[in-house]
Amino acid sequence: MADHDLHRLRRTFDEDAELYDRARPGYPAELFRDLDRLAGTGPGCRVLEIGCGTGKATVPLAERGCAITAVELGADMAAVARRHLAPFPEVEVVTSAFEDWPLPPRPFDVVLSATAFHWIDPRVRVGKAADALRPGGVLATVATYHVAGGSEEFFAQVQDCYERFDPATPPGLRLSPSRDIPLDSAELDRSGRFGPAAFRRYEWDMPYTTDEYVDVLNTYSGHRALGPEARAGLLGCIRSLIDGLHGGRIVKRYLTELRLAHRLP
């Protein structure tokens, strides 16, 4: 992806922060238990969060007693995060691009990025994350994948809507099963700054009504980047499909992946 496309798309999330906060699901409870066990999150742990959004991952960490500095590019997203995190005096939300934010002198125990690390400039993200950590500190990145499962008939049928209204859709595209999603630590390995990565995966289903599913689609950068007519046509097609053939409800399967790596001395 070209730099200008990356910067344009990652700013779409701030266009409707309240919708993002309402529609986007959070993260599995097992993920935070694994962070406690494998990264040492808990009372007194100093965490830098890259791209906190509206605080979907920040709040559970704050509830564990972590001291958190959360850096968020979008001003409106950051404002919603501050509202959710107001009860936690040890949490600070900074409005800035991570690439531009000056690291504080004191290093962190954990650097976390939940469904945001891929939006950070690849020339910067790994090196700056390592610079932010104490030796032995943990970089924890969370990725979310849409995988086969749930209402499988719907997700096969809905590709016709995408092929009609989004010209970037490959013909016959189908969701992959979770077992086909590769584990990827190549970027960390190449950097020479981190030890071997460990992975934990959580596969889970989320039910949606028609309105709820259209809401979550309206938070995705690719959908928001469509022209108004194409987006209206696509979402109308999807609404008709869910209401007409699936009784107004579908189930979507997610694969959440936690990748952890310790900073080398």
CSV table of all heavy atoms in Angstrom, one decimal, residues 175-229:
chain,number,residue,atom,x,y,z
A,175,LEU,N,-13.8,-16.6,2.3
A,175,LEU,CA,-13.1,-16.5,3.6
A,175,LEU,C,-12.3,-17.8,3.8
A,175,LEU,O,-12.7,-18.9,3.5
A,175,LEU,CB,-14.0,-16.3,4.8
A,175,LEU,CG,-14.7,-14.9,4.8
A,175,LEU,CD1,-15.8,-14.9,5.9
A,175,LEU,CD2,-13.8,-13.8,5.1
A,176,SER,N,-11.1,-17.6,4.4
A,176,SER,CA,-10.2,-18.8,4.6
A,176,SER,C,-10.5,-19.3,6.0
A,176,SER,O,-10.9,-18.6,6.9
A,176,SER,CB,-8.7,-18.3,4.6
A,176,SER,OG,-8.4,-17.8,3.4
A,177,PRO,N,-10.4,-20.6,6.2
A,177,PRO,CA,-10.5,-21.2,7.6
A,177,PRO,C,-9.3,-20.7,8.4
A,177,PRO,O,-8.2,-20.4,7.9
A,177,PRO,CB,-10.4,-22.7,7.3
A,177,PRO,CG,-9.8,-22.9,6.0
A,177,PRO,CD,-10.1,-21.7,5.2
A,178,SER,N,-9.5,-20.7,9.7
A,178,SER,CA,-8.5,-20.1,10.6
A,178,SER,C,-7.1,-20.9,10.5
A,178,SER,O,-6.1,-20.3,10.6
A,178,SER,CB,-9.0,-20.1,12.0
A,178,SER,OG,-9.3,-21.4,12.4
A,179,ARG,N,-7.2,-22.2,10.2
A,179,ARG,CA,-6.0,-23.0,10.1
A,179,ARG,C,-5.1,-22.5,8.9
A,179,ARG,O,-3.9,-22.8,8.9
A,179,ARG,CB,-6.3,-24.4,10.0
A,179,ARG,CG,-7.1,-24.8,8.7
A,179,ARG,CD,-7.3,-26.3,8.6
A,179,ARG,NE,-8.1,-26.6,7.4
A,179,ARG,CZ,-9.4,-26.6,7.4
A,179,ARG,NH1,-10.1,-26.3,8.4
A,179,ARG,NH2,-10.0,-26.9,6.2
A,180,ASP,N,-5.7,-21.8,8.0
A,180,ASP,CA,-4.9,-21.4,6.8
A,180,ASP,C,-4.3,-20.0,7.0
A,180,ASP,O,-3.6,-19.5,6.1
A,180,ASP,CB,-5.8,-21.4,5.6
A,180,ASP,CG,-6.2,-22.8,5.1
A,180,ASP,OD1,-5.6,-23.8,5.6
A,180,ASP,OD2,-7.1,-22.9,4.3
A,181,ILE,N,-4.5,-19.3,8.1
A,181,ILE,CA,-3.9,-18.0,8.3
A,181,ILE,C,-2.5,-18.2,8.9
A,181,ILE,O,-2.4,-18.8,10.0
A,181,ILE,CB,-4.8,-17.2,9.3
A,181,ILE,CG1,-6.2,-17.1,8.9
A,181,ILE,CG2,-4.2,-15.8,9.5
A,181,ILE,CD1,-6.4,-16.4,7.6
A,182,PRO,N,-1.5,-17.8,8.2
A,182,PRO,CA,-0.1,-18.2,8.6
A,182,PRO,C,0.3,-17.3,9.9
A,182,PRO,O,-0.2,-16.2,10.1
A,182,PRO,CB,0.7,-17.8,7.4
A,182,PRO,CG,-0.1,-16.8,6.7
A,182,PRO,CD,-1.5,-17.1,6.9
A,183,LEU,N,1.2,-17.9,10.7
A,183,LEU,CA,1.8,-17.2,11.7
A,183,LEU,C,3.0,-16.4,11.1
A,183,LEU,O,3.8,-17.0,10.4
A,183,LEU,CB,2.4,-18.2,12.8
A,183,LEU,CG,1.3,-19.1,13.5
A,183,LEU,CD1,2.0,-20.0,14.4
A,183,LEU,CD2,0.3,-18.3,14.3
A,184,ASP,N,3.0,-15.1,11.5
A,184,ASP,CA,4.0,-14.3,10.8
A,184,ASP,C,4.8,-13.4,11.8
A,184,ASP,O,4.3,-12.6,12.4
A,184,ASP,CB,3.3,-13.3,9.8
A,184,ASP,CG,4.3,-12.5,9.0
A,184,ASP,OD1,5.5,-12.7,9.1
A,184,ASP,OD2,3.8,-11.6,8.2
A,185,SER,N,6.1,-13.8,11.9
A,185,SER,CA,7.0,-13.0,12.7
A,185,SER,C,8.2,-12.4,12.0
A,185,SER,O,9.2,-12.0,12.5
A,185,SER,CB,7.5,-13.8,13.9
A,185,SER,OG,8.3,-14.9,13.5
A,186,ALA,N,8.1,-12.5,10.6
A,186,ALA,CA,9.2,-12.1,9.8
A,186,ALA,C,9.8,-10.7,10.1
A,186,ALA,O,11.0,-10.5,10.1
A,186,ALA,CB,8.9,-12.3,8.3
A,187,GLU,N,8.8,-9.8,10.2
A,187,GLU,CA,9.2,-8.4,10.4
A,187,GLU,C,10.0,-8.3,11.7
A,187,GLU,O,11.1,-7.6,11.8
A,187,GLU,CB,8.0,-7.5,10.4
A,187,GLU,CG,8.3,-6.0,10.6
A,187,GLU,CD,7.1,-5.2,10.6
A,187,GLU,OE1,6.0,-5.6,11.1
A,187,GLU,OE2,7.1,-4.0,10.1
A,188,LEU,N,9.6,-8.9,12.8
A,188,LEU,CA,10.3,-8.9,14.1
A,188,LEU,C,11.6,-9.6,14.0
A,188,LEU,O,12.6,-9.1,14.5
A,188,LEU,CB,9.4,-9.5,15.2
A,188,LEU,CG,8.0,-8.9,15.4
A,188,LEU,CD1,7.4,-9.6,16.6
A,188,LEU,CD2,8.1,-7.4,15.7
A,189,ASP,N,11.6,-10.7,13.3
A,189,ASP,CA,12.9,-11.5,13.1
A,189,ASP,C,13.9,-10.7,12.4
A,189,ASP,O,15.1,-10.7,12.8
A,189,ASP,CB,12.6,-12.8,12.4
A,189,ASP,CG,11.6,-13.7,13.2
A,189,ASP,OD1,11.5,-13.5,14.4
A,189,ASP,OD2,11.0,-14.6,12.5
A,190,ARG,N,13.5,-10.0,11.3
A,190,ARG,CA,14.5,-9.2,10.5
A,190,ARG,C,15.1,-8.1,11.3
A,190,ARG,O,16.2,-7.6,11.1
A,190,ARG,CB,13.8,-8.6,9.3
A,190,ARG,CG,13.5,-9.7,8.2
A,190,ARG,CD,13.2,-8.9,6.9
A,190,ARG,NE,12.0,-8.0,7.0
A,190,ARG,CZ,10.8,-8.3,6.8
A,190,ARG,NH1,10.5,-9.6,6.5
A,190,ARG,NH2,9.8,-7.5,7.0
A,191,SER,N,14.3,-7.5,12.3
A,191,SER,CA,14.8,-6.3,13.0
A,191,SER,C,16.0,-6.6,13.9
A,191,SER,O,16.8,-5.7,14.2
A,191,SER,CB,13.6,-5.8,13.9
A,191,SER,OG,13.4,-6.6,15.0
A,192,GLY,N,16.1,-7.9,14.3
A,192,GLY,CA,17.2,-8.2,15.3
A,192,GLY,C,17.0,-7.6,16.7
A,192,GLY,O,17.9,-7.7,17.5
A,193,ARG,N,15.8,-7.0,16.9
A,193,ARG,CA,15.6,-6.4,18.2
A,193,ARG,C,14.8,-7.2,19.2
A,193,ARG,O,14.7,-6.9,20.4
A,193,ARG,CB,14.8,-5.1,18.0
A,193,ARG,CG,15.4,-4.0,17.0
A,193,ARG,CD,16.7,-3.4,17.6
A,193,ARG,NE,16.5,-2.7,18.9
A,193,ARG,CZ,16.1,-1.5,19.0
A,193,ARG,NH1,15.8,-0.8,18.0
A,193,ARG,NH2,16.0,-0.9,20.2
A,194,PHE,N,14.3,-8.3,18.7
A,194,PHE,CA,13.4,-9.1,19.5
A,194,PHE,C,13.7,-10.6,19.5
A,194,PHE,O,14.3,-11.1,18.4
A,194,PHE,CB,11.9,-9.0,19.1
A,194,PHE,CG,11.3,-7.6,19.4
A,194,PHE,CD1,11.4,-6.6,18.4
A,194,PHE,CD2,10.8,-7.3,20.6
A,194,PHE,CE1,10.9,-5.3,18.6
A,194,PHE,CE2,10.3,-6.1,20.9
A,194,PHE,CZ,10.3,-5.1,19.9
A,195,GLY,N,13.4,-11.3,20.5
A,195,GLY,CA,13.6,-12.8,20.5
A,195,GLY,C,12.4,-13.4,19.8
A,195,GLY,O,11.6,-12.8,19.2
A,196,PRO,N,12.4,-14.8,19.8
A,196,PRO,CA,11.4,-15.5,19.0
A,196,PRO,C,10.0,-15.1,19.5
A,196,PRO,O,9.7,-15.0,20.7
A,196,PRO,CB,11.7,-17.0,19.3
A,196,PRO,CG,13.1,-17.0,19.7
A,196,PRO,CD,13.4,-15.7,20.4
A,197,ALA,N,9.1,-15.0,18.5
A,197,ALA,CA,7.7,-14.6,18.8
A,197,ALA,C,6.9,-15.8,19.2
A,197,ALA,O,7.1,-16.9,18.8
A,197,ALA,CB,7.0,-13.9,17.6
A,198,ALA,N,6.0,-15.6,20.2
A,198,ALA,CA,5.0,-16.6,20.6
A,198,ALA,C,3.6,-16.1,20.2
A,198,ALA,O,3.4,-14.9,20.1
A,198,ALA,CB,5.1,-16.8,22.1
A,199,PHE,N,2.8,-17.1,19.8
A,199,PHE,CA,1.4,-16.7,19.4
A,199,PHE,C,0.4,-17.4,20.2
A,199,PHE,O,0.5,-18.6,20.6
A,199,PHE,CB,1.3,-17.2,17.9
A,199,PHE,CG,2.1,-16.4,16.9
A,199,PHE,CD1,3.5,-16.8,16.7
A,199,PHE,CD2,1.7,-15.3,16.2
A,199,PHE,CE1,4.3,-16.2,15.8
A,199,PHE,CE2,2.5,-14.7,15.3
A,199,PHE,CZ,3.8,-15.1,15.1
A,200,ARG,N,-0.7,-16.7,20.4
A,200,ARG,CA,-1.9,-17.3,21.0
A,200,ARG,C,-3.1,-16.9,20.1
A,200,ARG,O,-3.2,-15.7,19.7
A,200,ARG,CB,-2.1,-16.8,22.4
A,200,ARG,CG,-1.1,-17.2,23.4
A,200,ARG,CD,-1.1,-18.7,23.6
A,200,ARG,NE,-0.1,-19.2,24.6
A,200,ARG,CZ,1.2,-19.4,24.3
A,200,ARG,NH1,1.7,-19.3,23.1
A,200,ARG,NH2,2.0,-19.8,25.3
A,201,ARG,N,-4.0,-17.8,19.9
A,201,ARG,CA,-5.1,-17.5,19.0
A,201,ARG,C,-6.5,-17.9,19.7
A,201,ARG,O,-6.5,-18.8,20.4
A,201,ARG,CB,-5.0,-18.3,17.7
A,201,ARG,CG,-3.9,-17.7,16.8
A,201,ARG,CD,-3.8,-18.4,15.4
A,201,ARG,NE,-3.2,-17.5,14.5
A,201,ARG,CZ,-3.0,-17.8,13.2
A,201,ARG,NH1,-3.4,-19.0,12.7
A,201,ARG,NH2,-2.4,-17.0,12.4
A,202,TYR,N,-7.5,-17.1,19.3
A,202,TYR,CA,-8.8,-17.2,19.9
A,202,TYR,C,-9.8,-17.1,18.8
A,202,TYR,O,-9.9,-16.0,18.1
A,202,TYR,CB,-9.0,-16.1,21.0
A,202,TYR,CG,-7.8,-15.8,21.8
A,202,TYR,CD1,-6.9,-14.8,21.3
A,202,TYR,CD2,-7.5,-16.5,22.9
A,202,TYR,CE1,-5.8,-14.5,22.0
A,202,TYR,CE2,-6.3,-16.2,23.7
A,202,TYR,CZ,-5.5,-15.2,23.2
A,202,TYR,OH,-4.3,-14.9,23.9
A,203,GLU,N,-10.6,-18.1,18.6
A,203,GLU,CA,-11.6,-18.1,17.5
A,203,GLU,C,-13.0,-18.0,18.2
A,203,GLU,O,-13.3,-18.8,19.1
A,203,GLU,CB,-11.5,-19.4,16.7
A,203,GLU,CG,-12.2,-19.4,15.4
A,203,GLU,CD,-11.9,-20.6,14.5
A,203,GLU,OE1,-10.9,-21.3,14.8
A,203,GLU,OE2,-12.6,-20.8,13.5
A,204,TRP,N,-13.8,-17.1,17.7
A,204,TRP,CA,-15.1,-16.8,18.4
A,204,TRP,C,-16.1,-16.3,17.4
A,204,TRP,O,-15.7,-15.8,16.3
A,204,TRP,CB,-14.9,-15.9,19.6
A,204,TRP,CG,-14.1,-14.6,19.2
A,204,TRP,CD1,-12.8,-14.5,19.0
A,204,TRP,CD2,-14.7,-13.3,19.1
A,204,TRP,NE1,-12.5,-13.2,18.8
A,204,TRP,CE2,-13.6,-12.4,18.8
A,204,TRP,CE3,-16.0,-12.8,19.2
A,204,TRP,CZ2,-13.8,-11.1,18.6
A,204,TRP,CZ3,-16.2,-11.5,19.0
A,204,TRP,CH2,-15.1,-10.6,18.7
A,205,ASP,N,-17.3,-16.5,17.8
A,205,ASP,CA,-18.5,-16.1,16.9
A,205,ASP,C,-19.2,-14.9,17.5
A,205,ASP,O,-19.3,-14.8,18.7
A,205,ASP,CB,-19.5,-17.2,16.8
A,205,ASP,CG,-19.0,-18.3,15.9
A,205,ASP,OD1,-18.0,-18.1,15.2
A,205,ASP,OD2,-19.6,-19.4,15.9
A,206,MET,N,-19.6,-14.0,16.6
A,206,MET,CA,-20.4,-12.8,17.1
A,206,MET,C,-21.7,-12.7,16.3
A,206,MET,O,-21.7,-12.6,15.0
A,206,MET,CB,-19.5,-11.5,16.8
A,206,MET,CG,-20.2,-10.2,17.2
A,206,MET,SD,-20.0,-10.0,19.0
A,206,MET,CE,-20.8,-8.4,19.2
A,207,PRO,N,-22.8,-12.7,17.0
A,207,PRO,CA,-24.1,-12.6,16.3
A,207,PRO,C,-24.4,-11.1,16.0
A,207,PRO,O,-24.1,-10.2,16.7
A,207,PRO,CB,-25.1,-13.2,17.3
A,207,PRO,CG,-24.5,-12.9,18.6
A,207,PRO,CD,-23.0,-13.0,18.4
A,208,TYR,N,-25.1,-10.9,14.8
A,208,TYR,CA,-25.4,-9.5,14.4
A,208,TYR,C,-26.9,-9.5,13.9
A,208,TYR,O,-27.2,-10.4,13.1
A,208,TYR,CB,-24.5,-9.0,13.3
A,208,TYR,CG,-23.1,-8.7,13.7
A,208,TYR,CD1,-22.1,-9.6,13.4
A,208,TYR,CD2,-22.8,-7.5,14.3
A,208,TYR,CE1,-20.8,-9.3,13.8
A,208,TYR,CE2,-21.5,-7.2,14.7
A,208,TYR,CZ,-20.5,-8.1,14.4
A,208,TYR,OH,-19.2,-7.8,14.8
A,209,THR,N,-27.6,-8.5,14.2
A,209,THR,CA,-28.8,-8.2,13.5
A,209,THR,C,-28.4,-7.5,12.2
A,209,THR,O,-27.2,-7.1,12.1
A,209,THR,CB,-29.8,-7.3,14.3
A,209,THR,OG1,-29.1,-6.0,14.5
A,209,THR,CG2,-30.1,-7.9,15.6
A,210,THR,N,-29.3,-7.2,11.3
A,210,THR,CA,-29.0,-6.5,10.1
A,210,THR,C,-28.4,-5.1,10.4
A,210,THR,O,-27.4,-4.8,9.8
A,210,THR,CB,-30.3,-6.4,9.2
A,210,THR,OG1,-30.8,-7.6,8.9
A,210,THR,CG2,-29.9,-5.7,7.9
A,211,ASP,N,-29.1,-4.4,11.2
A,211,ASP,CA,-28.6,-3.0,11.5
A,211,ASP,C,-27.2,-3.1,12.2
A,211,ASP,O,-26.3,-2.3,11.9
A,211,ASP,CB,-29.6,-2.3,12.5
A,211,ASP,CG,-30.8,-1.8,11.7
A,211,ASP,OD1,-30.8,-1.8,10.5
A,211,ASP,OD2,-31.8,-1.5,12.4
A,212,GLU,N,-27.0,-4.0,13.1
A,212,GLU,CA,-25.7,-4.1,13.8
A,212,GLU,C,-24.6,-4.5,12.8
A,212,GLU,O,-23.5,-4.0,12.9
A,212,GLU,CB,-25.8,-5.2,14.9
A,212,GLU,CG,-26.6,-4.8,16.1
A,212,GLU,CD,-26.9,-5.9,17.0
A,212,GLU,OE1,-26.8,-7.1,16.6
A,212,GLU,OE2,-27.4,-5.7,18.2
A,213,TYR,N,-24.9,-5.4,11.8
A,213,TYR,CA,-23.9,-5.7,10.9
A,213,TYR,C,-23.5,-4.6,9.9
A,213,TYR,O,-22.4,-4.3,9.7
A,213,TYR,CB,-24.3,-7.0,10.1
A,213,TYR,CG,-23.2,-7.5,9.3
A,213,TYR,CD1,-22.0,-8.0,9.9
A,213,TYR,CD2,-23.2,-7.6,7.9
A,213,TYR,CE1,-21.0,-8.5,9.2
A,213,TYR,CE2,-22.2,-8.1,7.2
A,213,TYR,CZ,-21.0,-8.6,7.8
A,213,TYR,OH,-20.0,-9.1,7.1
A,214,VAL,N,-24.6,-3.9,9.5
A,214,VAL,CA,-24.3,-2.7,8.6
A,214,VAL,C,-23.5,-1.6,9.4
A,214,VAL,O,-22.6,-1.0,8.9
A,214,VAL,CB,-25.6,-2.1,8.1
A,214,VAL,CG1,-25.4,-0.7,7.4
A,214,VAL,CG2,-26.2,-3.1,7.1
A,215,ASP,N,-23.8,-1.5,10.7
A,215,ASP,CA,-23.0,-0.5,11.5
A,215,ASP,C,-21.6,-0.9,11.6
A,215,ASP,O,-20.7,-0.1,11.4
A,215,ASP,CB,-23.6,-0.5,12.9
A,215,ASP,CG,-24.8,0.5,13.1
A,215,ASP,OD1,-25.1,1.2,12.1
A,215,ASP,OD2,-25.4,0.4,14.2
A,216,VAL,N,-21.3,-2.2,11.8
A,216,VAL,CA,-19.9,-2.6,11.9
A,216,VAL,C,-19.2,-2.5,10.6
A,216,VAL,O,-18.0,-2.1,10.5
A,216,VAL,CB,-19.7,-4.0,12.5
A,216,VAL,CG1,-20.0,-5.1,11.5
A,216,VAL,CG2,-18.3,-4.2,13.1
A,217,LEU,N,-19.9,-2.7,9.5
A,217,LEU,CA,-19.3,-2.5,8.1
A,217,LEU,C,-18.9,-1.1,7.9
A,217,LEU,O,-17.9,-0.8,7.3
A,217,LEU,CB,-20.2,-3.0,7.0
A,217,LEU,CG,-20.5,-4.5,7.0
A,217,LEU,CD1,-21.5,-4.8,5.8
A,217,LEU,CD2,-19.2,-5.3,6.8
A,218,ASN,N,-19.7,-0.2,8.5
A,218,ASN,CA,-19.5,1.2,8.3
A,218,ASN,C,-18.3,1.7,9.1
A,218,ASN,O,-17.9,2.9,9.0
A,218,ASN,CB,-20.7,2.0,8.7
A,218,ASN,CG,-21.6,2.3,7.5
A,218,ASN,OD1,-21.2,2.6,6.4
A,218,ASN,ND2,-22.9,2.1,7.7
A,219,THR,N,-17.7,0.9,9.9
A,219,THR,CA,-16.5,1.2,10.6
A,219,THR,C,-15.2,0.7,9.9
A,219,THR,O,-14.1,1.1,10.4
A,219,THR,CB,-16.4,0.7,12.1
A,219,THR,OG1,-16.3,-0.7,12.0
A,219,THR,CG2,-17.7,1.1,12.8
A,220,TYR,N,-15.3,0.0,8.8
A,220,TYR,CA,-14.2,-0.6,8.1
A,220,TYR,C,-13.7,0.4,7.1
A,220,TYR,O,-14.4,1.0,6.4
A,220,TYR,CB,-14.5,-1.9,7.5
A,220,TYR,CG,-14.9,-3.0,8.4
A,220,TYR,CD1,-15.7,-4.1,8.0
A,220,TYR,CD2,-14.4,-3.1,9.7
A,220,TYR,CE1,-16.0,-5.1,8.8
A,220,TYR,CE2,-14.7,-4.1,10.5
A,220,TYR,CZ,-15.5,-5.1,10.1
A,220,TYR,OH,-15.9,-6.2,10.9
A,221,SER,N,-12.4,0.6,7.1
A,221,SER,CA,-11.8,1.6,6.2
A,221,SER,C,-12.1,1.4,4.7
A,221,SER,O,-12.4,2.4,4.0
A,221,SER,CB,-10.3,1.7,6.4
A,221,SER,OG,-9.7,0.4,6.1
A,222,GLY,N,-12.1,0.1,4.3
A,222,GLY,CA,-12.4,-0.1,2.9
A,222,GLY,C,-13.8,0.3,2.5
A,222,GLY,O,-14.0,0.7,1.4
A,223,HIS,N,-14.8,0.0,3.4
A,223,HIS,CA,-16.1,0.4,3.1
A,223,HIS,C,-16.3,1.9,3.1
A,223,HIS,O,-17.0,2.5,2.3
A,223,HIS,CB,-17.1,-0.2,4.1
A,223,HIS,CG,-17.2,-1.7,4.0
A,223,HIS,ND1,-16.2,-2.5,4.3
A,223,HIS,CD2,-18.2,-2.5,3.6
A,223,HIS,CE1,-16.6,-3.8,4.1
A,223,HIS,NE2,-17.8,-3.8,3.7
A,224,ARG,N,-15.6,2.6,4.1
A,224,ARG,CA,-15.8,4.1,4.2
A,224,ARG,C,-15.1,4.8,3.0
A,224,ARG,O,-15.5,5.9,2.7
A,224,ARG,CB,-15.2,4.6,5.5
A,224,ARG,CG,-15.9,4.0,6.7
A,224,ARG,CD,-15.5,4.8,8.0
A,224,ARG,NE,-16.0,6.1,8.0
A,224,ARG,CZ,-17.2,6.5,8.4
A,224,ARG,NH1,-18.0,5.6,8.9
A,224,ARG,NH2,-17.6,7.7,8.3
A,225,ALA,N,-14.1,4.1,2.4
A,225,ALA,CA,-13.4,4.7,1.3
A,225,ALA,C,-14.2,4.6,0.0
A,225,ALA,O,-13.8,5.3,-1.0
A,225,ALA,CB,-12.0,4.0,1.1
A,226,LEU,N,-15.2,3.8,-0.1
A,226,LEU,CA,-16.0,3.7,-1.3
A,226,LEU,C,-16.8,5.1,-1.5
A,226,LEU,O,-17.1,5.8,-0.6
A,226,LEU,CB,-17.1,2.6,-1.2
A,226,LEU,CG,-16.5,1.2,-1.2
A,226,LEU,CD1,-17.7,0.2,-0.9
A,226,LEU,CD2,-15.9,0.8,-2.6
A,227,GLY,N,-17.1,5.4,-2.8
A,227,GLY,CA,-17.9,6.5,-3.1
A,227,GLY,C,-19.3,6.4,-2.5
A,227,GLY,O,-19.7,5.2,-2.3
A,228,PRO,N,-20.0,7.5,-2.3
A,228,PRO,CA,-21.3,7.4,-1.6
A,228,PRO,C,-22.3,6.5,-2.3
A,228,PRO,O,-23.0,5.7,-1.7
A,228,PRO,CB,-21.8,8.9,-1.6
A,228,PRO,CG,-20.5,9.7,-1.7
A,228,PRO,CD,-19.6,8.9,-2.6
A,229,GLU,N,-22.3,6.5,-3.6
A,229,GLU,CA,-23.3,5.7,-4.4
A,229,GLU,C,-22.9,4.2,-4.3
A,229,GLU,O,-23.8,3.4,-4.0
A,229,GLU,CB,-23.4,6.1,-5.8
A,229,GLU,CG,-24.1,7.4,-6.1
A,229,GLU,CD,-24.3,7.7,-7.5
A,229,GLU,OE1,-24.0,6.8,-8.4
A,229,GLU,OE2,-24.6,8.9,-7.8
